Amino acid sequence: MVVTTSTLLSSNAIVPTPHNSSLSSSSSNPKSSNISSINRRELVTSLFITVSPFFAAPQVNNPTNANPISLPISEARGLFQMPPVRLTNRYYLVRAGESEYESLGIINTNPVAKTSVDNGLSERGKKQAIKAALALKSMGACETNFWIWPSITQRAYQAAEIIGAVCGISRSRIVPEYSFLDARGLGAYEGKKLDSVSEVYASDSLSPNMKPPPIDDGTPNESVSDVFVRVTQLMSILETQYSGDTVIIVSPDSDNLTVLQAGLVGLDLRRHRDLAFAPGEVRFVDASSIPTYKQPASAVYKCLNPPNCEMAHSTLMSLSIS
């Protein structure tokens, strides 16, 4: 039997008695003889009986009597993880063309100067950006529902505008990224010759947590793991904001892209340099694009959980002693 509100209010039902002596007195109200006092437990029990049919388990032979609480809900996207189980969008990775500083053979990674005109594309870099745009168009990246996400760094945004012009889209499809795609900060290597960056990559091959020496001019000294955090945050935004679209990521340097691709394909982060991008290079994100395995510098160490692999301190010490 289902107890409804009308049943509770019938003459034989138990309802609360107002706290008023004139109303509770049987002499002043003859009909009150059928009304008795109710305590809190009885009231809760009555209400539970009233609503319980709506939450009853569904009957096998009666699909219309389904429990609304157990109905399937939209699958929520969890936090983005590397390597991802799947990608909801198609991604193209582009390194901006050569910058003015790079044409002079000088390292420039200080984010303070990233929007400076001096940090823009060189003449050679502009030609490289045009080639990148033509490559993207031939690869089918310039079709409907595509977006260009460049770093706000001058050379990357200039490259994005060139890509947009070749693909025939307005600036409304160019979404500048203000921090996650900054060039990797190389600390004390700032202002040195480009050749010296090989020392940084030698450290990267030992551990993704090793940082370049610091400097006090505002240039960050970022490890591979630091860059990995940034690009993972970027992918979290892109995978949440878009669904089934094409996204062209334009980076001012190679390290953002190599660390990102290593994470996406599950490659040991110490090997990110194996995926190096030349200025103006375009690459489609492909999970099967992992290069042939090459033994890392720590020959006795095996990565068990790519791309997050770190050499134990004892291993480092044994290598240094030997």
Side-chain angles (χ1 to χ4, degrees):
M1 174 182 176
V2 177
V3 182
T4 62
T5 305
S6 60
T7 306
L8 287 174
L9 296 178
S10 65
S11 60
N12 294 325
I14 302 176
V15 296
T17 302
H19 295 287
N20 189 317
S21 59
S22 61
L23 294 177
S24 61
S25 174
S26 59
S27 59
S28 60
N29 187 358
K31 295 182 179 181
S32 64
S33 59
N34 293 328
I35 302 176
S36 59
S37 178
I38 184 171
N39 60 34
R40 183 177 300 175
R41 178 176 297 179
E42 291 171 335
L43 177 59
V44 172
T45 302
S46 299
L47 292 176
F48 175 77
I49 295 174
T50 303
V51 301
S52 60
F54 296 100
F55 298 94
Q59 298 178 9
V60 177
N61 298 327
N62 187 9
T64 60
N65 189 27
N67 182 354
I69 302 302
S70 64
L71 293 178
I73 60 175
S74 299
E75 182 181 357
R77 297 181 191 174
L79 295 176
F80 188 82
Q81 297 180 348
M82 294 279 203
V85 177
R86 61 182 175 85
L87 292 173
T88 60
N89 304 298
R90 299 171 67 237
Y91 294 95
Y92 291 86
L93 308 181
V94 182
R95 179 181 174 182
E98 179 189 72
S99 69
E100 292 286 358
Y101 281 101
E102 288 172 330
S103 68
L104 299 174
I106 299 175
I107 296 175
N108 178 260
T109 61
N110 193 326
V112 175
K114 64 183 178 181
T115 59
S116 171
V117 176
D118 296 334
N119 212 351
L121 293 172
S122 65
E123 289 303 317
R124 183 183 180 186
K126 292 175 183 177
K127 295 178 182 179
Q128 291 169 339
I130 293 173
K131 290 182 180 180
L134 294 173
L136 285 166
K137 192 170 185 178
S138 66
M139 294 167 71
C142 299
E143 297 174 355
T144 56
N145 295 329
F146 79 96
W147 303 85
I148 304 175
W149 273 63
S151 165
I152 197 62
T153 304
Q154 186 75 0
R155 62 183 180 273
Y157 195 82
Q158 286 178 346
E161 288 186 317
I162 292 174
I163 295 170
V166 171
C167 291
I169 62 168
S170 65
R171 290 186 177 180
S172 62
R173 288 274 173 173
I174 301 177
V175 185
E177 214 303 306
Y178 290 88
S179 59
F180 294 148
L181 280 175
D182 284 354
R184 178 185 178 184
L186 297 181
Y189 287 91
E190 185 74 2
K192 292 186 177 182
K193 295 293 184 180
L194 278 176
D195 294 343
S196 62
V197 77
S198 60
E199 300 173 10
V200 177
Y201 295 137
S203 298
D204 291 350
S205 66
L206 295 176
S207 170
N209 294 328
M210 296 183 70
K211 297 175 178 284
I215 194 173
D216 59 2
D217 69 347
T219 304
N221 58 322
E222 294 183 296
S223 67
V224 172
S225 295
D226 294 331
V227 177
F228 181 73
V229 170
R230 289 200 281 109
V231 296
T232 302
Q233 290 172 321
L234 173 67
M235 291 301 298
S236 297
I237 295 173
L238 294 175
E239 283 291 282
T240 303
Q241 186 164 337
Y242 305 113
S243 180
D245 292 352
T246 296
V247 182
I248 301 172
I249 299 174
V250 185
S251 171
D253 68 342
S254 175
D255 286 5
N256 278 331
L257 302 179
T258 57
V259 174
L260 172 56
Q261 188 176 11
L264 291 174
V265 301
L267 183 67
D268 185 341
L269 290 179
R270 294 170 300 166
R271 294 184 55 209
H272 78 95
R273 185 60 182 168
D274 294 353
L275 303 170
F277 282 69
E281 184 176 349
V282 177
R283 200 174 295 169
F284 174 68
V285 173
D286 184 0
S288 63
S289 62
I290 303 178
T292 304
Y293 183 75
K294 182 175 65 176
Q295 190 75 2
S298 54
V300 299
Y301 175 79
K302 183 178 180 180
C303 177
L304 300 178
N305 184 29
N308 297 310
C309 304
E310 181 180 1
M311 181 184 296
H313 178 70
S314 57
T315 307
L316 278 172
M317 292 299 294
S318 62
L319 288 175
S320 62
I321 294 173
S322 60

